């Protein structure tokens, strides 16, 4: 699959997620193509269907230049907001080794000593290439998405993503370099309700990697995501398929929340935002984080 190089009109966008003020997506699309990814809608501006997710990539070849220009125009009082890389793509997917857009953007942020928090969210060990910049920035943290400790399961749902075991090693490398890290257990896989020992094992592996804080999110099973997930689940055991059907119910989420609470306490892990986030509750979370008017 050959990426398509494009000229973007803008780069730094206001974020729609509760805990981030701005977001930068150097790419449109993501070759990792994870089955559960909510961002599979992202290519519609280029006429790409949800079913094509993972099979296209648009490279914003002028992203670094835009970062330079837009940071120069950003008023000082707006530079304290949290900047996320990235929300609907992985900023360190394989083509980053060629295009180096994320690295170039971090260099621009470093050049202006951006005082707000720079938050990286990725599944890729390529992030360790930029340890020099991440340690130079005034405030930076890296979240590594780790949905399972089982490489077979990660290959099942995240076919082209780095293996779970490699992501766990990456967290250790980042922590040892002095970079604040957290694990993003998102989505919280529905079959953990039937097999809580699997989540127990994952939390244990995160603790071994030096993680003390996790951000967790219930799976988003809107229709366009279910259409892709149904293909992956077709040959799975009945209890696994049933878990993904039940995952759309409040009762299922409450069951998982209770399992999570007990296992977090067992492993001494902190839960970011004090709850397992659900997409439908984003507005309420945003208001709570903003505090009293």
């Amino acid at each position: 699959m050959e990426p398509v190089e494009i000229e973007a009109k803008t780069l730094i966008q206001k974020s729609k997620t509760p805990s981030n003020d701005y977001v930068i997506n150097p790419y449109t699309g993501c070759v990792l193509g994870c089955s559960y990814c909510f961002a599979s809608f992202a290519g519609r501006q280029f006429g790409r269907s949800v079913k094509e997710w993972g099979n296209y990539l648009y490279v914003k070849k002028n992203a670094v230049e835009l970062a330079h220009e837009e940071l120069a125009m950003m008023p000082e009082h707006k530079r304290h907001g949290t900047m996320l890389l990235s929300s609907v793509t992985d900023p360190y997917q394989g083509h980053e080794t060629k295009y180096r857009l994320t690295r170039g953007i971090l260099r621009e942020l470093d050049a202006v000593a951006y005082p707000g928090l720079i938050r990286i969210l990725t599944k890729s060990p390529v992030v360790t290439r930029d340890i020099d910049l991440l340690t130079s920035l005034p405030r930076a943290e890296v979240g590594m998405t780790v949905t399972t400790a089982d490489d077979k399961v990660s290959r099942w749902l995240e076919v082209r993503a780095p293996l779970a075991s490699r992501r766990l090693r990456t967290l250790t490398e980042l922590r040892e370099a002095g970079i604040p890290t957290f694990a993003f257990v998102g989505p919280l896989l529905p079959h953990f309700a039937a097999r809580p020992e699997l989540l127990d094992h994952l939390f244990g592996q995160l603790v071994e990697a030096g993680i003390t804080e996790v951000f967790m999110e219930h799976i988003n099973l809107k229709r366009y995501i279910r259409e892709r997930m149904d293909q992956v689940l077709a040959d799975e055991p009945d209890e696994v398929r049933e878990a993904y059907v039940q995952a759309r119910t409040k009762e299922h989420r409450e069951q998982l929340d209770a399992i999570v609470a007990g296992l977090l306490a067992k492993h001494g892990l902190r839960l970011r935002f004090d709850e397992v986030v659900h997409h439908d509750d984003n507005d309420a979370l945003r208001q709570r984080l903003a505090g009293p008017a």
Side-chain angles (χ1 to χ4, degrees), residues 12 18 32 37 70 124 154 163 213 240 258 263 279:
I12 302 174
L32 304 186
C37 188
E70 293 176 11
S124 174
S154 69
L163 288 172
E213 184 178 34
V240 172
L263 292 176
H279 278 262

Side-chain angles (χ1 to χ4, degrees), residues 148-150 196-206 263 267:
T148 176
D150 187 334
E197 70 274 11
L198 299 178
L199 185 59
D200 188 10
H201 179 58
L202 171 58
F203 283 177
Q205 292 294 297
L206 292 175
L263 292 176
H267 292 281

Side-chain angles (χ1 to χ4, degrees), residues 23 38 82 88 173 175 230 288:
V23 63
F38 83 97
T82 297
V88 293
E173 293 169 25
R175 180 183 54 79
D230 285 347
R288 184 163 62 79

Side-chain angles (χ1 to χ4, degrees), residues 149-164:
D150 187 334
D151 284 344
K152 290 182 180 179
V153 175
S154 69
R155 270 289 167 263
W156 170 51
L157 292 174
E158 306 160 334
V159 180
R160 291 188 292 276
L163 288 172

